[in-house]
């Protein structure tokens, strides 16, 4: 695992997500703590697509492909799973800590019990968004053997889902239903079906589609 951490978390990849969250906390104005989660959920999703797209193809960029190609398929798949886990944990911890950066704006707060509940709901929601967009970006990049295809296609999907059209068309089945819920009328859990679908898609992609993309030979 130490090797995967070293490969997937170079200094620049450690720093730019922190700067991104700091920028959001300073310049994305909020008036209420209920706005923090709905701000960070889609932003962390977009960040994860950019952050994780090179999980497999970094071997080509760093000119280690000839050695990596000698490994058995099972070993390569396990290595990619570990790399995805390393990046997911890092982004999830940033999302968990980044939530509190918004308190520098001194937003209005509810009672303690409500704040704790909102925070844990946010952690559940953002964890699924991170792995959904990050993992899918990896698979698309692998399929096209191009990191920018993985990032670009996932950002297009992000724009569609994180829009009024996505909210109206998919409703509670949108992975961003958490963002579009009417928190003025209570927190509620009507957004959970979208996250459940996200978990199902992640499972299918991780254990079905991802291994298939790794069987394809690299184009010269």
């Amino acid at each position: 695992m130490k090797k995967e951490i070293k490969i997937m978390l170079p200094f620049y990849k450690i720093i730019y997500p922190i700067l991104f969250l700091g920028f959001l906390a300073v310049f994305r104005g909020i008036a209420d703590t209920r706005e923090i989660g709905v701000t960070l959920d889609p932003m962390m999703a977009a960040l994860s697509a950019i952050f994780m797209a090179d999980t497999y193809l970094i071997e080509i960029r760093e000119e280690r492909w000839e050695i990596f190609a000698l490994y058995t398929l099972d070993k390569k798949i396990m290595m990619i799973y570990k790399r995805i886990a390393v990046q997911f944990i890092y982004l999830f911890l940033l999302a968990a800590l980044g939530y509190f950066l918004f308190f520098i704006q001194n937003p209005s707060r509810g009672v303690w019990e409500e704040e704790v509940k909102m925070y844990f709901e946010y952690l559940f929601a953002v964890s699924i968004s991170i792995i959904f967009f990050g993992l899918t970006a990896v698979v698309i990049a692998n399929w096209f053997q191009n990191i920018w295809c993985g990032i670009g296609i996932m950002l297009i999907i992000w724009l569609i889902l994180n829009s009024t059209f996505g909210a109206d068309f998919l409703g509670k089945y949108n992975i961003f239903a958490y963002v579009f819920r009417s928190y003025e009328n209570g927190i509620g859990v009507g957004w959970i079906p979208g996250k459940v679908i996200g978990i199902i898609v992640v499972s299918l992609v991780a254990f079905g589609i991802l291994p298939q993309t790794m069987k394809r030979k690299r184009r010269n």
Side-chain angles (χ1 to χ4, degrees):
M1 188 65 80
K2 290 183 179 179
K3 181 180 179 181
E4 279 69 36
I5 293 174
K6 183 178 180 181
I7 292 173
M8 299 316 304
L9 293 179
F11 181 73
Y12 80 92
K13 286 189 75 172
I14 292 174
I15 293 299
Y16 81 74
I18 296 174
L19 296 176
F20 176 72
L21 285 175
F23 179 87
L24 280 178
V26 172
F27 294 104
R28 172 60 168 85
I30 61 167
D32 191 293
T33 53
R34 291 175 296 183
E35 298 178 48
I36 301 176
V38 300
T39 296
L40 282 175
D41 185 43
M43 293 296 102
M44 290 304 300
L47 177 63
S48 68
I50 298 169
F51 192 85
M52 297 173 68
D54 67 348
T55 300
Y56 183 57
L57 298 181
I58 192 173
E59 298 296 332
I60 300 173
R61 190 181 70 201
E62 300 296 328
E63 299 182 350
R64 295 190 298 260
W65 181 262
E66 289 76 10
I67 297 175
F68 189 77
L70 296 175
Y71 298 147
T72 64
L73 179 62
D74 288 343
K75 183 174 181 179
K76 286 190 284 189
I77 291 172
M78 187 55 60
M79 289 174 67
I80 296 306
Y81 284 156
K82 288 180 180 179
R83 292 179 184 184
I84 290 171
V86 165
Q87 293 174 99
F88 169 77
I89 291 170
Y90 179 68
L91 290 178
F92 178 75
L93 290 176
L94 283 184
L97 296 174
Y99 185 94
F100 298 102
L101 288 178
F102 284 83
F103 282 78
I104 64 175
Q105 299 187 36
N106 195 30
S108 61
R109 302 170 177 82
V111 297
W112 171 252
E113 292 81 2
E114 181 181 294
E115 291 293 328
V116 172
K117 181 181 179 183
M118 281 196 304
Y119 180 63
F120 282 103
E121 285 185 348
Y122 158 72
L123 292 181
F124 171 71
V126 78
S127 66
I128 297 171
S129 295
I130 289 171
I131 192 62
F132 177 89
F133 278 86
L135 177 61
T136 309
V138 173
V139 169
I140 294 174
N142 288 2
W143 182 261
F144 290 100
Q145 297 179 24
N146 187 297
I147 293 171
W148 295 108
C149 283
I151 294 173
I153 291 173
M154 284 313 299
L155 290 182
I156 290 172
I157 293 173
W158 180 89
L159 286 171
I160 294 171
L161 295 177
N162 189 36
S163 67
T164 303
F165 170 79
D168 294 340
F169 184 71
L170 295 174
K172 65 181 180 180
Y173 302 109
N174 188 337
I175 196 168
F176 291 137
Y178 169 81
V179 176
F180 296 112
R181 77 197 194 285
S182 178
Y183 61 77
E184 292 87 352
N185 298 325
I187 298 174
V189 293
W191 50 271
I192 288 182
K195 297 298 183 181
V196 172
I197 291 174
I199 294 173
I200 294 171
V201 172
V202 164
S203 300
L204 293 174
V205 170
F207 302 111
I209 302 175
L210 178 59
Q212 294 302 315
T213 66
M214 295 178 64
K215 291 179 181 179
R216 301 172 71 237
K217 293 183 179 180
R218 182 174 73 91
R219 294 193 301 265
N220 293 322

PDB file of all heavy atoms in Angstrom, residues 170-183:
ATOM      1  N   LEU A 170     -34.659  13.197 -13.379  1.00  0.00           N
ATOM      2  CA  LEU A 170     -34.368  12.022 -12.563  1.00  0.00           C
ATOM      3  C   LEU A 170     -34.969  12.091 -11.159  1.00  0.00           C
ATOM      4  O   LEU A 170     -35.157  11.062 -10.514  1.00  0.00           O
ATOM      5  CB  LEU A 170     -32.852  11.829 -12.459  1.00  0.00           C
ATOM      6  CG  LEU A 170     -32.139  11.491 -13.764  1.00  0.00           C
ATOM      7  CD1 LEU A 170     -30.627  11.470 -13.547  1.00  0.00           C
ATOM      8  CD2 LEU A 170     -32.615  10.152 -14.317  1.00  0.00           C
ATOM      9  N   GLY A 171     -35.243  13.299 -10.694  1.00  0.00           N
ATOM     10  CA  GLY A 171     -35.857  13.441  -9.379  1.00  0.00           C
ATOM     11  C   GLY A 171     -35.035  12.815  -8.270  1.00  0.00           C
ATOM     12  O   GLY A 171     -33.819  12.998  -8.192  1.00  0.00           O
ATOM     13  N   LYS A 172     -35.685  12.018  -7.424  1.00  0.00           N
ATOM     14  CA  LYS A 172     -35.003  11.406  -6.284  1.00  0.00           C
ATOM     15  C   LYS A 172     -34.012  10.324  -6.701  1.00  0.00           C
ATOM     16  O   LYS A 172     -33.232   9.845  -5.873  1.00  0.00           O
ATOM     17  CB  LYS A 172     -36.019  10.814  -5.316  1.00  0.00           C
ATOM     18  CG  LYS A 172     -36.836   9.660  -5.870  1.00  0.00           C
ATOM     19  CD  LYS A 172     -37.828   9.155  -4.835  1.00  0.00           C
ATOM     20  CE  LYS A 172     -38.657   7.989  -5.373  1.00  0.00           C
ATOM     21  NZ  LYS A 172     -39.624   7.510  -4.346  1.00  0.00           N
ATOM     22  N   TYR A 173     -34.018   9.944  -7.983  1.00  0.00           N
ATOM     23  CA  TYR A 173     -33.080   8.927  -8.472  1.00  0.00           C
ATOM     24  C   TYR A 173     -31.780   9.539  -9.009  1.00  0.00           C
ATOM     25  O   TYR A 173     -30.902   8.824  -9.471  1.00  0.00           O
ATOM     26  CB  TYR A 173     -33.749   8.078  -9.551  1.00  0.00           C
ATOM     27  CG  TYR A 173     -35.010   7.397  -9.057  1.00  0.00           C
ATOM     28  CD1 TYR A 173     -36.270   7.805  -9.504  1.00  0.00           C
ATOM     29  CD2 TYR A 173     -34.939   6.380  -8.120  1.00  0.00           C
ATOM     30  CE1 TYR A 173     -37.426   7.195  -9.030  1.00  0.00           C
ATOM     31  CE2 TYR A 173     -36.086   5.769  -7.640  1.00  0.00           C
ATOM     32  CZ  TYR A 173     -37.326   6.181  -8.094  1.00  0.00           C
ATOM     33  OH  TYR A 173     -38.461   5.581  -7.620  1.00  0.00           O
ATOM     34  N   ASN A 174     -31.683  10.850  -8.964  1.00  0.00           N
ATOM     35  CA  ASN A 174     -30.456  11.543  -9.356  1.00  0.00           C
ATOM     36  C   ASN A 174     -29.438  11.395  -8.237  1.00  0.00           C
ATOM     37  O   ASN A 174     -29.769  11.544  -7.054  1.00  0.00           O
ATOM     38  CB  ASN A 174     -30.763  13.028  -9.587  1.00  0.00           C
ATOM     39  CG  ASN A 174     -29.596  13.791 -10.177  1.00  0.00           C
ATOM     40  OD1 ASN A 174     -28.449  13.402 -10.060  1.00  0.00           O
ATOM     41  ND2 ASN A 174     -29.908  14.907 -10.812  1.00  0.00           N
ATOM     42  N   ILE A 175     -28.192  11.094  -8.591  1.00  0.00           N
ATOM     43  CA  ILE A 175     -27.168  10.970  -7.557  1.00  0.00           C
ATOM     44  C   ILE A 175     -26.983  12.284  -6.802  1.00  0.00           C
ATOM     45  O   ILE A 175     -26.485  12.298  -5.674  1.00  0.00           O
ATOM     46  CB  ILE A 175     -25.831  10.481  -8.162  1.00  0.00           C
ATOM     47  CG1 ILE A 175     -24.907   9.983  -7.050  1.00  0.00           C
ATOM     48  CG2 ILE A 175     -25.173  11.589  -8.999  1.00  0.00           C
ATOM     49  CD1 ILE A 175     -23.698   9.232  -7.534  1.00  0.00           C
ATOM     50  N   PHE A 176     -27.403  13.401  -7.387  1.00  0.00           N
ATOM     51  CA  PHE A 176     -27.338  14.700  -6.716  1.00  0.00           C
ATOM     52  C   PHE A 176     -28.690  15.130  -6.143  1.00  0.00           C
ATOM     53  O   PHE A 176     -28.906  16.321  -5.892  1.00  0.00           O
ATOM     54  CB  PHE A 176     -26.815  15.769  -7.673  1.00  0.00           C
ATOM     55  CG  PHE A 176     -25.377  15.618  -8.040  1.00  0.00           C
ATOM     56  CD1 PHE A 176     -24.952  15.786  -9.349  1.00  0.00           C
ATOM     57  CD2 PHE A 176     -24.420  15.310  -7.079  1.00  0.00           C
ATOM     58  CE1 PHE A 176     -23.618  15.656  -9.700  1.00  0.00           C
ATOM     59  CE2 PHE A 176     -23.080  15.169  -7.418  1.00  0.00           C
ATOM     60  CZ  PHE A 176     -22.680  15.335  -8.733  1.00  0.00           C
ATOM     61  N   ALA A 177     -29.592  14.176  -5.932  1.00  0.00           N
ATOM     62  CA  ALA A 177     -30.877  14.514  -5.310  1.00  0.00           C
ATOM     63  C   ALA A 177     -30.661  15.136  -3.933  1.00  0.00           C
ATOM     64  O   ALA A 177     -31.459  15.968  -3.484  1.00  0.00           O
ATOM     65  CB  ALA A 177     -31.753  13.264  -5.203  1.00  0.00           C
ATOM     66  N   TYR A 178     -29.587  14.761  -3.266  1.00  0.00           N
ATOM     67  CA  TYR A 178     -29.221  15.360  -1.975  1.00  0.00           C
ATOM     68  C   TYR A 178     -29.045  16.869  -2.117  1.00  0.00           C
ATOM     69  O   TYR A 178     -29.419  17.639  -1.231  1.00  0.00           O
ATOM     70  CB  TYR A 178     -27.928  14.709  -1.482  1.00  0.00           C
ATOM     71  CG  TYR A 178     -27.276  15.386  -0.308  1.00  0.00           C
ATOM     72  CD1 TYR A 178     -27.717  15.152   0.991  1.00  0.00           C
ATOM     73  CD2 TYR A 178     -26.188  16.252  -0.493  1.00  0.00           C
ATOM     74  CE1 TYR A 178     -27.100  15.765   2.073  1.00  0.00           C
ATOM     75  CE2 TYR A 178     -25.569  16.865   0.587  1.00  0.00           C
ATOM     76  CZ  TYR A 178     -26.035  16.623   1.865  1.00  0.00           C
ATOM     77  OH  TYR A 178     -25.427  17.230   2.933  1.00  0.00           O
ATOM     78  N   VAL A 179     -28.498  17.291  -3.243  1.00  0.00           N
ATOM     79  CA  VAL A 179     -28.252  18.712  -3.482  1.00  0.00           C
ATOM     80  C   VAL A 179     -29.546  19.468  -3.743  1.00  0.00           C
ATOM     81  O   VAL A 179     -29.710  20.612  -3.300  1.00  0.00           O
ATOM     82  CB  VAL A 179     -27.287  18.883  -4.680  1.00  0.00           C
ATOM     83  CG1 VAL A 179     -27.095  20.360  -5.025  1.00  0.00           C
ATOM     84  CG2 VAL A 179     -25.951  18.220  -4.379  1.00  0.00           C
ATOM     85  N   PHE A 180     -30.461  18.833  -4.434  1.00  0.00           N
ATOM     86  CA  PHE A 180     -31.677  19.518  -4.876  1.00  0.00           C
ATOM     87  C   PHE A 180     -32.841  19.389  -3.893  1.00  0.00           C
ATOM     88  O   PHE A 180     -33.910  19.928  -4.150  1.00  0.00           O
ATOM     89  CB  PHE A 180     -32.112  18.970  -6.240  1.00  0.00           C
ATOM     90  CG  PHE A 180     -31.121  19.247  -7.339  1.00  0.00           C
ATOM     91  CD1 PHE A 180     -30.402  18.211  -7.924  1.00  0.00           C
ATOM     92  CD2 PHE A 180     -30.882  20.539  -7.771  1.00  0.00           C
ATOM     93  CE1 PHE A 180     -29.480  18.463  -8.938  1.00  0.00           C
ATOM     94  CE2 PHE A 180     -29.962  20.805  -8.776  1.00  0.00           C
ATOM     95  CZ  PHE A 180     -29.261  19.768  -9.366  1.00  0.00           C
ATOM     96  N   ARG A 181     -32.643  18.683  -2.795  1.00  0.00           N
ATOM     97  CA  ARG A 181     -33.742  18.520  -1.841  1.00  0.00           C
ATOM     98  C   ARG A 181     -34.122  19.862  -1.235  1.00  0.00           C
ATOM     99  O   ARG A 181     -33.293  20.780  -1.175  1.00  0.00           O
ATOM    100  CB  ARG A 181     -33.363  17.532  -0.746  1.00  0.00           C
ATOM    101  CG  ARG A 181     -32.438  18.095   0.317  1.00  0.00           C
ATOM    102  CD  ARG A 181     -31.789  16.977   1.118  1.00  0.00           C
ATOM    103  NE  ARG A 181     -31.155  17.440   2.332  1.00  0.00           N
ATOM    104  CZ  ARG A 181     -30.012  18.090   2.391  1.00  0.00           C
ATOM    105  NH1 ARG A 181     -29.371  18.387   1.279  1.00  0.00           N
ATOM    106  NH2 ARG A 181     -29.500  18.463   3.549  1.00  0.00           N
ATOM    107  N   SER A 182     -35.340  19.990  -0.785  1.00  0.00           N
ATOM    108  CA  SER A 182     -35.824  21.245  -0.210  1.00  0.00           C
ATOM    109  C   SER A 182     -35.559  21.228   1.287  1.00  0.00           C
ATOM    110  O   SER A 182     -36.383  20.781   2.079  1.00  0.00           O
ATOM    111  CB  SER A 182     -37.328  21.414  -0.490  1.00  0.00           C
ATOM    112  OG  SER A 182     -37.826  22.605   0.093  1.00  0.00           O
ATOM    113  N   TYR A 183     -34.375  21.691   1.679  1.00  0.00           N
ATOM    114  CA  TYR A 183     -34.035  21.624   3.093  1.00  0.00           C
ATOM    115  C   TYR A 183     -34.806  22.639   3.929  1.00  0.00           C
ATOM    116  O   TYR A 183     -34.836  22.564   5.151  1.00  0.00           O
ATOM    117  CB  TYR A 183     -32.522  21.767   3.302  1.00  0.00           C
ATOM    118  CG  TYR A 183     -31.910  23.055   2.826  1.00  0.00           C
ATOM    119  CD1 TYR A 183     -32.044  24.225   3.552  1.00  0.00           C
ATOM    120  CD2 TYR A 183     -31.153  23.091   1.648  1.00  0.00           C
ATOM    121  CE1 TYR A 183     -31.464  25.401   3.128  1.00  0.00           C
ATOM    122  CE2 TYR A 183     -30.563  24.273   1.219  1.00  0.00           C
ATOM    123  CZ  TYR A 183     -30.716  25.416   1.962  1.00  0.00           C
ATOM    124  OH  TYR A 183     -30.141  26.584   1.531  1.00  0.00           O
TER     125      TYR A 183
END
